[in-house]
C-alpha cells in the first residue's frame, strides 16, 4: 500500500531564542539557520523513514528546489511537485525557545499555487487502495478530498494550522483526523455531527494520545518520557507519519500510536523539524 501526501513544502528560517518573543518586545536571537520544512514535507519524510512507499505532490518556487532534492534523497516520488517560476516557496519564520517550545509565522507562497489539475494528475497516478494524506497548508484542499474520495481512497487529514476554512470542506469524507488538543476542540466546533463517522486521533503532548474509532473504540496511550526536550518543531508531523506508516505495515491503531509516540520522543530530543525525524531502526522502545 502506498501513501500520496498532497502537502506543503516550506523553507524554515529558525531563530533560537531564550523565550518566545512577547507582545511589544524586541529580542536578540542566539542564532538563525535555514532548514527544510513544511508539515507536508516533514510528514513525507517521516513516512519514508518509517519504510513506506511515499509520493509527494505540491508546489515550490525556484528557491525551493533543494526541498525536492531532499525528498528525492529520502526515496520519495517527487514527480508531481510543480516548480512555479515567479512565486516564492512557502516560508516559515520559527522561534525555538530554550525549553524547546516553538512559535511559527507562515508565508503561504507556492503552497497556494496547488491547483485542482495538479491534484487530479497526482491522484490518478496512484494505485487503487492508496492512502491520501493532507494538511491545511495548501490550496485546492476541497478538490483533494472530493477527487480522492470519488476514487475510494482513504483520506487522513491533519487540519493544521486550524482555521475557519476547515468548516467549508467536505469533512464527512475523511477517514481519520489527526489533531492536537486545541485543534480537536476547534474541529468539533466547526464540524459537529458531520464527523461522527470519522476516526479521530488526538495528541496531548506530554500527556499521550487518544484514538476514537468510528466504531466507538477508544484507545489511550501514555507519551514516552523525554528528559531533554531540545526542539518540539515537527513532533506532530513525526507522529502523523509514523502512525500512518504503522497502519500501512498492518499494525493495530494502538501499536501504531505507540510507535508514533516513540518516534516523536526521538524527534523532540534533536534540533530541527525534518532532520530530527528518526529512521525506524533508531526506535529501540518499540517492537
Ligand atoms: O509542523 C512544523 C512545520 O510547520 C514547520 O516545518 C513549518 O514549516 C510549518 O509548516
Amino acid at each position: 500500500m502506498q501513501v500520496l501526501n498532497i502537502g506543503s513544502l516550506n523553507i524554515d528560517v529558525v531563530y533560537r531564542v531564550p523565550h518566545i518573543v512577547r507582545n511589544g518586545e524586541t529580542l536578540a536571537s542566539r542564532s538563525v539557520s535555514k532548514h527544510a520544512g513544511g508539515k507536508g514535507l516533514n510528514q513525507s519524510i517521516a513516512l519514508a523513514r518509517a519504510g513506506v512507499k511515499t509520493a509527494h505532490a505540491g508546489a515550490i518556487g525556484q528557491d525551493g528546489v533543494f526541498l525536492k532534492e531532499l525528498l528525492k534523497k529520502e526515496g520519495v516520488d517527487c514527480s508531481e511537485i510543480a516548480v512555479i517560476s515567479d512565486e516564492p516557496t512557502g516560508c516559515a519564520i520559527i522561534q525555538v525557545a530554550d525549553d524547546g517550545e516553538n512559535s511559527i509565522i507562515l508565508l503561504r507562497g507556492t503552497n497556494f499555487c496547488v491547483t485542482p489539475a495538479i491534484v487530479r494528475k497526482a491522484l490518478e497516478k496512484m494505485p487503487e487502495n492508496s492512502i491520501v494524506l493532507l494538511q491545511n497548508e495548501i490550496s485546492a484542499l476541497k478538490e483533494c478530498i472530493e477527487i480522492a474520495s470519488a476514487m475510494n481512497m482513504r483520506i487522513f487529514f491533519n487540519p493544521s494550522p486550524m482555521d475557519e476554512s476547515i468548516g467549508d470542506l467536505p469533512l464527512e469524507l475523511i477517514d481519520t483526523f489527526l489533531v492536537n488538543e486545541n485543534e480537536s476542540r476547534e474541529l468539533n466546533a466547526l464540524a459537529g455531527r458531520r464527523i461522527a463517522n470519522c476516526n479521530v486521533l488526538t495528541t496531548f503532548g506530554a500527556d499521550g494520545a487518544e484514538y476514537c474509532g468510528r466504531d466507538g473504540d477508544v484507545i489511550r496511550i501514555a507519551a514516552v518520557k523525554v528528559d531533554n526536550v531540545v526542539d518540539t518543531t515537527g513532533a506532530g508531523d513525526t507522529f502523523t507519519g509514523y502512525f500512518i506508516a504503522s497502519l500501512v505495515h498492518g499494525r493495530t491503531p494502538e501499536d501504531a500510536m505507540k510507535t508514533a509516540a516513540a518516534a516523536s520522543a526521538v524527534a523532540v530530543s534533536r534540533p530541527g523539524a525534518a532532520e530530527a525525524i528518526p529512521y525506524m531502526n533508531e526506535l529501540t522502545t518499540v517492537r
Side-chain angles (χ1 to χ4, degrees):
M1 196 187 292
Q2 297 187 29
V3 178
L4 170 64
N5 185 3
I6 311 176
S8 58
L9 300 124
N10 287 341
I11 299 171
D12 286 358
V13 182
V14 180
Y15 291 83
R16 293 285 330 193
V17 285
H19 58 261
I20 304 300
V21 71
R22 298 185 189 107
N23 199 5
E25 183 184 26
T26 300
L27 182 65
S29 67
R30 302 197 198 287
S31 65
V32 61
S33 47
K34 192 173 105 175
H35 303 265
K39 293 181 197 311
L41 177 143
N42 298 338
Q43 292 174 19
S44 281
I45 288 186
L47 283 158
R49 291 190 178 176
V52 166
K53 193 162 185 217
T54 304
H56 191 110
I60 50 175
Q62 289 294 348
D63 55 341
V65 170
F66 78 98
L67 302 173
K68 187 169 169 176
E69 293 310 315
L70 176 85
L71 281 174
K72 273 198 215 161
K73 258 195 227 148
E74 295 284 342
V76 175
D77 176 349
C78 295
S79 51
E80 299 308 324
I81 295 180
V83 182
I84 316 281
S85 48
D86 48 2
E87 284 287 330
T89 300
C91 179
I93 303 297
I94 305 182
Q95 298 177 54
V96 179
D98 285 348
D99 63 1
E101 291 304 321
N102 66 73
S103 86
I104 303 179
I105 299 173
L106 282 178
L107 171 77
R108 291 168 159 179
T110 44
N111 291 313
F112 269 62
C113 296
V114 175
T115 60
I118 291 175
V119 167
R120 182 174 291 281
K121 185 158 171 264
L123 283 164
E124 282 175 351
K125 280 174 69 176
M126 295 305 287
E128 258 178 46
N129 86 17
S130 296
I131 284 178
V132 175
L133 172 59
L134 306 168
Q135 315 79 30
N136 188 28
E137 282 188 341
I138 58 159
S139 48
L141 267 182
K142 183 165 176 278
E143 290 82 359
C144 288
I145 297 171
E146 286 173 349
I147 301 169
S149 170
M151 295 169 79
N152 288 321
M153 292 184 180
R154 246 177 113 183
I155 307 168
F156 286 69
F157 184 29
N158 167 219
S160 180
M162 179 68 82
D163 61 34
E164 288 194 345
S165 69
I166 296 291
D168 300 330
L169 297 172
L171 299 174
E172 60 286 354
L173 302 180
I174 303 297
D175 181 275
T176 301
F177 289 94
L178 302 113
V179 286
N180 65 27
E181 198 175 0
N182 292 332
E183 291 163 350
S184 162
R185 265 194 295 273
E186 289 175 63
L187 178 65
N188 283 320
L190 287 168
R193 294 293 306 158
R194 283 196 290 149
I195 59 166
N197 290 320
C198 307
N199 306 310
V200 180
L201 171 56
T202 309
T203 52
F204 297 92
D207 291 325
E210 185 180 81
Y211 178 85
C212 296
R214 62 168 66 84
D215 51 6
D217 266 13
V218 177
I219 302 161
R220 184 100 199 202
I221 63 144
V224 175
K225 198 171 166 332
V226 183
D227 291 329
N228 182 25
V229 175
V230 174
D231 186 350
T232 54
T233 317
D237 301 330
T238 306
F239 195 101
T240 293
Y242 264 86
F243 176 75
I244 296 171
S246 301
L247 295 183
V248 169
H249 291 140
R251 303 290 193 189
T252 62
E254 183 169 0
D255 276 351
M257 288 163 80
K258 288 179 180 164
T259 305
S264 304
V266 174
V268 300
S269 69
R270 301 169 172 175
E275 62 262 58
I277 299 168
Y279 290 86
M280 186 63 108
N281 63 10
E282 293 180 85
L283 307 188
T284 49
T285 55
V286 290
R287 60 194 171 94

